[in-house]
Amino acid sequence: MAPEYDNDSDDDLSLAELDPHADPHQTSHAPTDAEDGALLAPEGQHLGPHKRKGISSLLDKFRSEAQTEIEEAYDPSTNRHVRVGNTPGFPSNIVSNAKYTAWSFLPRTLYNEFSFFFNLYFLLVALSQVIPQLRIGYLSTYIAPLAFVLTITLGKEAVDDITRRRRDAELNSERYTVLAFDELTQTHRKSKRRRDAVRRLSEVEEEEQALQGNGEGRRAGAFEISKMSKDLKVGDVLKLEKGQRVPADAVILKSVSSENAVHDDKDEGEVFIRTDQLDGETDWKLRIASPASQSMDLASFSKINISAAKPSRKVNEFLGTLNHPLPTSLDTTMPGHVTKERSVALNIDNTAWANTVLASTAVVYAVIVYTGPQTRQAMSTSASRTKTGLLEYEINNLTKILCGLTLLLSFILVAAYKFESPDKRPWYIAVMRYLILFSTIVPISLRVNLDMGKSVYAWFMHRDKDIPGTVVRTSTIPEDLGRIEYLLSDKTGTLTQNDMQLKKIHVGTVSYGNDSMSEISNYIRQGFGSSDVSSKSTAMMTGNINSLGSGTRSRREISSRVRDVVLALALCHNVTPTVEDINGKEVTTYQASSPDEIAIIRWTESCGLRLTHRDRHSMTLESTHSGEVVVRVEILSVFPFTSESKRMGIIVKFLQDPNSQGAATEETPVWFFQKGADTVMSSIVARNDWLDEETANMAREGLRTLVVGRKKLSAQQYHLFTEEYKDASLSLHNRDEGMAQVVGNHLERDLELLGVTGVEDKLQNDVKHSLELLRNAGVKIWMLTGDKVETARCVAVSSKLVARGQYIHTIAKMSDPSEASDALSLLRSTPSACLLIDGDSLALMLHHHRTEFIATAVLLPCVVACRCSPTQKADIAKLIRTYTGKRTCAIGDGGNDVSMIQAADVGLGIVGKEGRQASLAADFSITQFAHLTKLLVWHGRNSYKRSAKLAQFVMHRGLIISVCQTVFSITDKYEPKALYKDWLLVGYATIYTMFPVFSLVLDTDIPPRLAHVYPELYSEMKEERSLSYRTFFAWCAISIYQGCAIQILAHFLDRHDGPHMVSVSYTALILNELVMVAAEVTTWHWIMVVTILGTLAAYAASLPFLGEYFDVPWLWSVHFGWRVAVCAVAALLPVWLGKCIQGRVKPPSYRKVQQGL
């Protein structure tokens, strides 16, 4: 039911209005009757006791309502009342996307960094050097690497946050034109309440107040001022022009075609906005001003009150009412006069949300109702799930193993000396010193190298000319692209182009398609293209045509049916023609929220009926054959399409003379047209014997079906519907349900079935090849769509998602849990089948047999789920990810795919005709489905293999120097002293080895062409051959051997000379790393050569400056050279021979591919 409005009462009166000096938060005593009389009586007069009592109760009511209003103004959970020009108590409009403040930056960033095991480990090591008993070298030796890592990370966070703050500052400082009202206008309600209730001012004082300002009696008016976006408040009236961003959620009050046409009565209050930055939809949206405010002048806006629902994140919903005083001829200054108010319903069509852009050439006046954190965009923007790559978890586990080995090794060395120390330190101090010496086993540079590598991979993806337009939005998970096992894909706009063409139409007895479409054009020419269009079109519009269930199959009858359905399609839509200036030429384009509707309007134009004009109240159709206006209708009501209703309708009244500009007469018939999905329309249209069969036939052909119907309404029927619909529209509670119920009761019953249309959605380019390649790569593909079962089946077959001859097991319309159990048993017996299941059956499976269903479904090569809701798509992604532990990838192009994209391990968004919402929410953005194959089998595979090799090399680099330290400690009587101190330790991890090791991110084993020819190479990534416990321990064995070989030989060759021994082992260590990098390279890149030779030259150039650690003159002797050569060859030769033997005995797959060319 609609809420009750007290039209005889005035606006709520605040305490400050009753007493300007009163504190609204301070309790005061209630005035006595005498006090009331003294307060309220005009000068020289006294009120009787009854009048004083009535006014006293009125004051109490005002106080109560004012206090309630104050409390609700600060409570966002309640409905709000917005007074135009002055509504305090709501949040500011400051936009802030910054993550940190000046005070929280360091605490938060440091906490985040030290929550990682790497950084916390090295922080403890660095802090240990403050303790004298644990000090081994300079404190800077351990602080510098950690500070370097933290500086890079914190610097990146600071730059990102400063960038966000700059963007926020630009938005907050953007200036807008705001209407300001004269003092008399702003105090209109206050003055009226004083006259009606308080009566403080005498008539002389009121006259003096009206004459303030310029000294003349004048009407209150409005003038323009400029405000920054951050200073805007609820109740401010914005003046917006074409191309301006809307800074806050607002209700449109007035829209005029130009600034000079403020009082032009011909303006309908229509305006187009772009919402691509809000919901991702690229089509323009039509918005309209309320007729009540559209007809008002600007000064009268101050009399408007708006009641709006509490803040919500639903961008497509809004409930509210606009209240304004009715014009009256009575003298409002007379005592006892009460101004009546009118309440008008507001909905989403009357709004412009924050960050939408005005697209029309118009001037729009809109009042702000929600600001700052209470805007739709701010409330619907939630932090997406932080995604961490699987490789990160695997490396974290390996570093824990290294840390455990470090502790074990330290304990063994202390135990070997019988828990005694040569310098008489306690044994636990010796263990701690060993832990510090071996801290290089856990390389601090590992995370920096991996993060830098991810940036390189993202750069490669951006620069790839084969996949233009690719954007990496989440740079932390490129390796996961190389390990995808489940691909969840949308259908419309993802596998298909979302480029609609009407391919078939059925009118009950005849079906038209392809070449036979020309017959429809002939029928339209005969009906609308002749010179006497008035009489013919009028005859068709009056409804004097038999229903489809009767009549003969004569040519005249078929012609009438065809014209009826084409006319219905030309009228029943939300398409608006717009004229754009493109390269100096005026081009007519169609704007609609759905590409289906645009496709149908283009088809009706090709048949002979062109939509030339549409506004809120009328629509005009023109014959393409004669160029004359043949149909003009008055639009009475429009019922837009929603995902819940799955249909749209329109009520129109035909003008008897299409060329007339006048309104329709009472005698003109009223028609209700409706089109929608067959699942809902089958129960709305009259009984027939062909609808189900024909929609099934079209679905098997892969066509999207729409059922079209109409109903003639008498004047009495329409009047009754209008009254009930208006009452339902004023309700602030369950408004949508109430309005839908009224439409269902009065309109959606026994519609005349006109026909069925079949719209084709073309497949994306190379979809068949891409799906086949992914299937050969071992990726299991799930297609999740909202389409019907037959359409989904057809697309699955035509796109080669289902292989030729593959059995399709269909589960549809299941309602009994016992049936679900039987279906699962049958499905287990056919593991090579494709499962086709509808949304209701899927919901039943997930509710009653969740574990059994997912355990069976994940083993199937492909699954097609149709009639899926966005929530079901996300649930499936989470279920597969949780149950299997495997990497899942979700790809889609629409707003309904966002939840699925965010729920998957890797989300891909396609920039399509449904907008950019999926693209903006995804981890990776591409322009077409075919680009997915190269992103996975080339970039994803390379990213994983490169990072795996890089991680193992960095760990090898840290482990080998720790082995050298261990051997040195053993040979030095288990003394926990450092072998390489200070700069030697820092230089080894940085300039002497970092660049050659990092250059491995450029390595490739096969060219891109072979990656597509042999997709089976991609499936090996799932077997974790590149980084596993086997490869990890193999590298540990290599590190232990090489470290022992280098240090033992260096010790025996120069056991009595410490500097000589250190210089030999350190130089051999550097050469060992450089040669190992060169041995691991598969495909040489010029940067690799430069880094290896450049590092070698840099080391040689730095030798003269290492006199603190080396005997520099001895470094240029032959004795130094042959000792280094012996150590290096002993460390490298066995490893190289083993690698060659393994390559011969068990070559890797990419070698087999290369040898087969």
Side-chain angles (χ1 to χ4, degrees):
M1 294 180 61
E4 296 181 0
Y5 293 94
D6 186 6
N7 291 332
D8 293 333
S9 64
D10 197 5
D11 300 324
D12 293 338
L13 190 63
S14 66
L15 295 177
E17 294 168 3
L18 294 173
D19 184 358
H21 304 288
D23 184 356
H25 301 287
Q26 183 177 359
T27 304
S28 61
H29 74 281
T32 63
D33 292 346
E35 290 172 333
D36 287 338
L39 176 65
L40 299 175
E43 186 177 354
Q45 297 183 19
H46 297 278
L47 298 178
H50 297 290
K51 290 185 178 182
R52 287 199 301 269
K53 183 177 181 181
I55 295 178
S56 178
S57 63
L58 183 60
L59 284 173
D60 291 340
K61 177 184 177 182
F62 283 153
R63 292 191 183 98
S64 176
E65 291 179 351
Q67 186 63 33
T68 302
E69 182 178 358
I70 291 171
E71 293 173 355
E72 289 187 352
Y74 288 88
D75 185 4
S77 64
T78 61
N79 295 336
R80 61 179 57 191
H81 304 285
V82 178
R83 294 176 178 175
V84 172
N86 180 22
T87 308
F90 293 106
S92 66
N93 199 48
I94 295 178
V95 175
S96 178
N97 293 305
K99 293 174 62 177
Y100 311 104
T101 65
W103 300 104
S104 66
F105 176 75
L106 279 178
R108 290 185 59 186
T109 52
L110 291 177
Y111 174 80
N112 292 335
E113 289 306 307
F114 290 123
S115 62
F116 286 96
F117 175 75
F118 290 154
N119 295 339
L120 181 61
Y121 177 80
F122 277 96
L123 176 64
L124 296 176
V125 170
L127 293 177
S128 68
Q129 297 304 288
V130 179
I131 304 174
Q133 292 85 350
L134 300 179
R135 183 175 301 165
I136 293 176
Y138 293 117
L139 182 63
S140 59
T141 304
Y142 296 90
I143 290 292
L146 179 63
F148 175 73
V149 173
L150 293 179
T151 300
I152 291 178
T153 305
L154 268 64
K156 181 177 179 296
E157 284 291 317
V159 170
D160 290 344
D161 209 50
I162 290 173
T163 303
R164 283 189 289 265
R165 286 186 174 274
R166 286 177 177 172
R167 288 199 300 262
D168 293 343
E170 291 177 2
L171 293 177
N172 290 326
S173 60
E174 192 173 354
R175 303 201 74 87
Y176 288 89
T177 301
V178 178
L179 290 186
F181 301 97
D182 287 339
E183 181 67 20
L184 182 59
T185 308
Q186 294 176 350
T187 58
H188 169 77
R189 285 181 290 262
K190 299 179 183 179
S191 299
K192 180 165 65 65
R193 280 193 289 269
R194 291 187 182 107
R195 289 193 302 267
D196 295 346
V198 184
R199 304 294 300 168
R200 285 182 183 171
L201 299 176
S202 66
E203 294 181 0
V204 176
E205 290 172 329
E206 291 181 26
E207 184 177 354
E208 290 176 352
Q209 184 184 35
L211 293 175
Q212 283 180 351
N214 55 9
E216 297 178 3
R218 59 180 175 87
R219 286 190 60 190
F223 56 94
E224 297 178 358
I225 61 173
S226 179
K227 277 188 176 184
M228 288 193 293
S229 177
K230 64 180 181 180
D231 297 327
L232 297 174
K233 304 182 185 309
V234 173
D236 283 347
V237 178
L238 298 168
K239 178 186 177 183
L240 301 170
E241 298 180 2
K242 181 178 181 180
Q244 275 195 292
R245 178 186 71 91
V246 182
D249 288 357
V251 170
I252 299 174
L253 298 178
K254 191 182 189 72
S255 174
V256 293
S257 57
S258 66
E259 189 172 358
N260 297 326
V262 175
H263 302 291
D264 190 352
D265 294 335
K266 294 182 179 179
D267 282 304
E268 300 289 343
E270 297 180 353
V271 62
F272 282 99
I273 61 173
R274 297 200 309 268
T275 63
D276 53 332
Q277 297 301 317
L278 178 65
D279 58 12
E281 304 296 334
T282 57
D283 294 302
W284 293 4
K285 303 296 191 302
L286 177 64
R287 293 293 186 262
I288 55 177
S290 172
S293 58
Q294 177 68 21
S295 60
M296 299 174 67
D297 57 35
L298 301 184
S300 301
F301 286 168
S302 63
K303 305 175 184 178
I304 293 176
N305 286 333
I306 290 179
S307 298
K310 63 182 180 181
S312 171
R313 66 184 61 186
K314 298 179 180 179
V315 297
N316 295 318
E317 294 183 11
F318 176 72
L319 296 176
T321 57
L322 184 148
N323 309 309
H324 67 97
L326 291 173
T328 178
S329 59
L330 299 176
D331 184 4
T332 57
T333 64
M334 293 181 62
H337 174 77
V338 177
T339 302
K340 293 188 176 181
E341 289 191 344
R342 177 189 176 193
S343 297
V344 180
L346 299 174
N347 56 33
I348 187 64
D349 294 331
N350 309 120
T351 63
W353 296 145
N355 279 339
T356 59
V357 177
L358 190 64
S360 300
T361 305
V363 177
V364 173
Y365 297 92
V367 59
I368 296 176
V369 291
Y370 305 107
T371 52
Q374 295 183 350
T375 60
R376 290 300 199 270
Q377 186 185 51
M379 296 191 67
S380 60
T381 301
S382 58
S384 59
R385 181 175 64 93
T386 301
K387 297 184 178 182
T388 304
L390 183 59
L391 186 71
E392 300 268 352
Y393 292 114
E394 293 172 344
I395 292 176
N396 189 57
N397 292 332
L398 296 180
T399 54
K400 290 178 180 178
I401 295 176
L402 289 176
C403 193
L405 291 176
T406 302
L407 180 61
L408 179 63
L409 181 60
S410 302
F411 188 80
I412 290 175
L413 290 177
V414 173
Y417 206 72
K418 299 180 181 179
F419 294 98
E420 295 182 2
S421 177
D423 54 4
K424 305 303 180 181
R425 293 191 183 97
W427 68 270
Y428 54 85
I429 296 294
V431 171
M432 295 294 294
R433 289 174 62 87
Y434 275 124
L435 281 174
I436 297 169
L437 287 174
F438 299 148
S439 61
T440 54
I441 290 181
V442 183
I444 190 173
S445 61
L446 177 58
R447 185 164 169 238
V448 175
N449 279 272
L450 290 176
D451 288 344
M452 292 172 61
K454 296 175 193 294
S455 300
V456 173
Y457 308 149
W459 186 82
F460 284 147
M461 296 176 192
H462 280 295
R463 301 273 296 182
D464 195 332
K465 296 181 180 179
D466 295 333
I467 50 175
T470 300
V471 179
V472 180
R473 304 191 188 280
T474 304
S475 61
T476 58
I477 55 173
E479 298 90 355
D480 280 0
L481 287 171
R483 309 176 72 178
I484 299 300
E485 293 200 41
Y486 294 93
L487 175 65
L488 312 180
S489 174
D490 180 38
K491 182 184 75 66
T492 304
T494 304
L495 299 178
T496 60
Q497 294 183 17
N498 206 9
D499 183 9
M500 310 296 180
Q501 289 185 353
L502 196 147
K503 288 291 187 180
K504 194 173 184 180
I505 186 168
H506 196 283
V507 295
T509 56
V510 182
S511 180
Y512 296 92
N514 300 325
D515 296 337
S516 60
M517 288 292 187
S518 59
E519 295 184 29
I520 297 179
S521 182
N522 293 332
Y523 291 145
I524 299 300
R525 182 186 294 110
Q526 294 172 8
F528 296 98
S530 63
S531 59
D532 187 17
V533 296
S534 178
S535 59
K536 291 187 176 183
S537 59
T538 301
M540 287 184 290
M541 298 168 201
T542 54
N544 296 325
I545 297 175
N546 295 329
S547 64
L548 293 179
S550 61
T552 63
R553 296 189 179 184
S554 64
R555 185 175 181 84
R556 179 176 300 177
E557 177 68 17
I558 293 175
S559 174
S560 299
R561 295 177 180 178
V562 170
R563 289 196 298 265
D564 285 345
V565 70
V566 173
L567 180 61
L569 291 172
L571 295 175
C572 186
H573 55 77
N574 269 318
V575 180
T576 301
T578 59
V579 178
E580 298 181 13
D581 189 358
I582 302 177
N583 297 327
K585 296 181 179 180
E586 290 188 351
V587 179
T588 301
T589 59
Y590 295 119
Q591 295 295 336
S593 58
S594 170
D596 298 61
E597 292 210 314
I598 295 178
I600 292 175
I601 293 305
R602 286 176 178 166
W603 177 81
T604 60
E605 181 179 357
S606 68
C607 293
L609 286 180
R610 179 189 295 124
L611 177 65
T612 59
H613 171 77
R614 179 185 181 139
D615 55 32
R616 287 172 48 205
H617 303 299
S618 64
M619 192 186 315
T620 302
L621 303 180
E622 181 183 276
S623 171
T624 59
H625 304 107
S626 65
E628 299 179 1
V629 175
V630 293
V631 175
R632 190 187 303 275
V633 298
E634 179 184 353
I635 300 176
L636 303 178
S637 296
V638 177
F639 313 100
F641 176 89
T642 65
S643 57
E644 291 79 16
S645 66
K646 299 181 180 179
R647 59 190 181 273
M648 73 86 53
I650 187 171
I651 300 178
V652 298
K653 181 183 287 189
F654 288 92
L655 294 175
Q656 294 289 347
D657 182 3
N659 294 301
S660 172
Q661 297 292 334
T665 63
E666 290 293 335
E667 293 76 16
T668 308
V670 176
W671 284 92
F672 170 63
F673 294 98
Q674 189 172 57
K675 66 181 180 184
D678 60 285
T679 54
V680 295
M681 291 295 291
S682 58
S683 60
I684 295 175
V685 298
R687 295 186 59 183
N688 59 87
D689 57 0
W690 59 272
L691 178 59
D692 292 339
E693 180 182 357
E694 188 56 34
T695 54
N697 292 337
M698 289 187 181
R700 278 190 288 270
E701 298 177 22
L703 302 178
R704 298 158 64 98
T705 58
L706 280 176
V707 179
V708 186
R710 69 177 182 181
K711 183 176 184 178
K712 186 178 180 181
L713 303 176
S714 65
Q716 182 179 1
Q717 287 177 314
Y718 176 69
H719 178 74
L720 182 60
F721 161 76
T722 304
E723 292 296 324
E724 293 190 17
Y725 192 76
K726 181 180 178 181
D727 292 340
S729 67
L730 291 175
S731 175
L732 287 178
H733 304 284
N734 300 322
R735 177 188 294 180
D736 291 339
E737 292 81 354
M739 294 167 66
Q741 184 177 2
V742 173
V743 172
N745 293 338
H746 291 273
L747 303 180
E748 296 179 338
R749 289 188 178 181
D750 295 329
L751 266 65
E752 177 187 352
L753 178 58
L754 296 178
V756 180
T757 63
V759 178
E760 179 189 45
D761 192 359
K762 296 180 180 179
L763 291 176
Q764 289 268 12
N765 296 331
D766 294 329
V767 160
K768 298 179 182 179
H769 173 71
S770 300
L771 290 176
E772 184 178 2
L773 186 148
L774 292 173
R775 189 163 52 246
N776 293 334
V779 178
K780 296 180 174 64
I781 304 172
W782 290 44
M783 185 175 79
L784 311 178
T785 178
D787 259 334
K788 57 180 69 66
V789 173
E790 291 299 330
T791 304
R793 180 197 297 271
C794 179
V795 173
V797 173
S798 61
S799 63
K800 304 298 182 184
L801 176 62
V802 177
R804 180 176 299 178
Q806 184 177 4
Y807 169 66
I808 301 178
H809 183 76
T810 304
I811 302 177
K813 299 180 179 179
M814 182 177 294
S815 57
D816 189 353
S818 61
E819 296 179 6
S821 180
D822 296 338
L824 288 175
S825 300
L826 180 60
L827 198 58
R828 294 190 193 98
S829 62
T830 54
S832 61
C834 169
L835 172 62
L836 177 63
I837 186 170
D838 66 355
D840 293 337
S841 303
L842 177 64
L844 187 142
M845 287 282 191
L846 295 179
H847 181 71
H848 294 283
H849 305 280
R850 191 180 189 88
T851 304
E852 295 85 349
F853 170 76
I854 198 64
T856 305
V858 295
L859 301 177
L860 301 176
C862 69
V863 176
V864 178
C866 48
R867 297 301 190 192
C868 276
S869 65
T871 304
Q872 284 181 320
K873 291 182 179 182
D875 287 343
I876 291 175
K878 295 176 184 176
L879 196 58
I880 295 176
R881 180 165 55 86
T882 304
Y883 181 81
T884 64
K886 306 295 184 182
R887 297 289 96 176
T888 60
C889 175
I891 181 170
D893 74 316
N896 60 335
D897 302 317
V898 170
S899 55
M900 174 181 69
I901 287 172
Q902 293 180 338
D905 295 301
V906 179
L908 280 86
I910 296 180
V911 181
K913 292 190 176 182
E914 290 192 20
R916 297 189 298 133
Q917 191 172 3
S919 169
L920 295 174
D923 304 307
F924 301 88
S925 172
I926 57 179
T927 56
Q928 55 180 288
F929 184 85
H931 293 173
L932 173 65
T933 56
K934 189 170 187 182
L935 204 61
L936 265 59
V937 302
W938 173 247
H939 289 289
R941 181 177 179 272
N942 283 342
S943 299
Y944 172 60
K945 288 180 69 68
R946 291 164 175 169
S947 288
K949 185 182 292 186
L950 179 63
Q952 292 178 124
F953 237 102
V954 172
M955 286 187 285
H956 164 267
R957 185 179 64 186
L959 186 57
I960 190 175
I961 195 174
S962 297
V963 172
C964 291
Q965 174 66 54
T966 304
V967 174
F968 172 74
S969 297
I970 294 174
T971 57
D972 197 31
K973 299 180 181 180
Y974 299 95
E975 178 67 23
K977 295 191 302 183
L979 172 61
Y980 309 122
K981 298 180 180 179
D982 306 331
W983 169 250
L984 295 183
L985 203 59
V986 175
Y988 174 78
T990 54
I991 64 171
Y992 294 154
T993 60
M994 184 177 70
F995 294 109
V997 171
F998 184 72
S999 69
L1000 291 173
V1001 300
L1002 304 173
D1003 193 20
T1004 57
D1005 53 5
I1006 56 174
R1009 182 180 62 85
L1010 291 183
H1012 285 78
V1013 174
Y1014 298 98
E1016 293 79 9
L1017 293 173
Y1018 181 84
S1019 61
E1020 293 182 355
M1021 301 298 99
K1022 298 179 294 184
E1023 300 173 7
E1024 300 179 353
R1025 294 183 181 180
S1026 297
L1027 180 63
S1028 61
Y1029 287 113
R1030 184 182 64 81
T1031 60
F1032 169 72
F1033 285 114
W1035 275 99
C1036 286
I1038 292 173
S1039 302
I1040 292 172
Y1041 166 75
Q1042 292 183 329
C1044 290
I1046 291 173
Q1047 187 57 36
I1048 289 174
L1049 286 175
H1051 175 76
F1052 282 106
L1053 291 175
D1054 288 290
R1055 70 176 68 182
H1056 300 297
D1057 194 327
H1060 288 185
M1061 184 266 295
V1062 171
S1063 62
V1064 169
S1065 67
Y1066 190 79
T1067 305
L1069 197 62
I1070 298 297
L1071 291 177
N1072 179 80
E1073 284 303 301
L1074 298 181
V1075 175
M1076 285 292 291
V1077 170
E1080 285 297 316
V1081 174
T1082 305
T1083 304
W1084 282 94
H1085 192 281
W1086 68 268
I1087 295 181
M1088 297 177 177
V1089 179
V1090 170
T1091 56
I1092 292 176
L1093 296 180
T1095 299
L1096 190 60
Y1099 178 67
S1102 65
L1103 289 177
F1105 304 98
L1106 300 179
E1108 183 180 352
Y1109 314 104
F1110 299 162
D1111 183 0
V1112 176
W1114 186 73
L1115 298 179
W1116 312 113
S1117 66
V1118 177
H1119 296 288
F1120 170 76
W1122 73 260
R1123 283 172 170 80
V1124 171
V1126 168
C1127 293
V1129 169
L1132 291 167
L1133 185 60
V1135 176
W1136 180 76
L1137 289 175
K1139 183 178 179 64
C1140 293
I1141 294 172
Q1142 183 183 19
R1144 291 284 185 177
V1145 176
K1146 190 178 180 181
S1149 299
Y1150 69 87
R1151 290 290 185 195
K1152 298 177 184 178
V1153 170
Q1154 292 175 340
Q1155 294 170 2
L1157 296 179

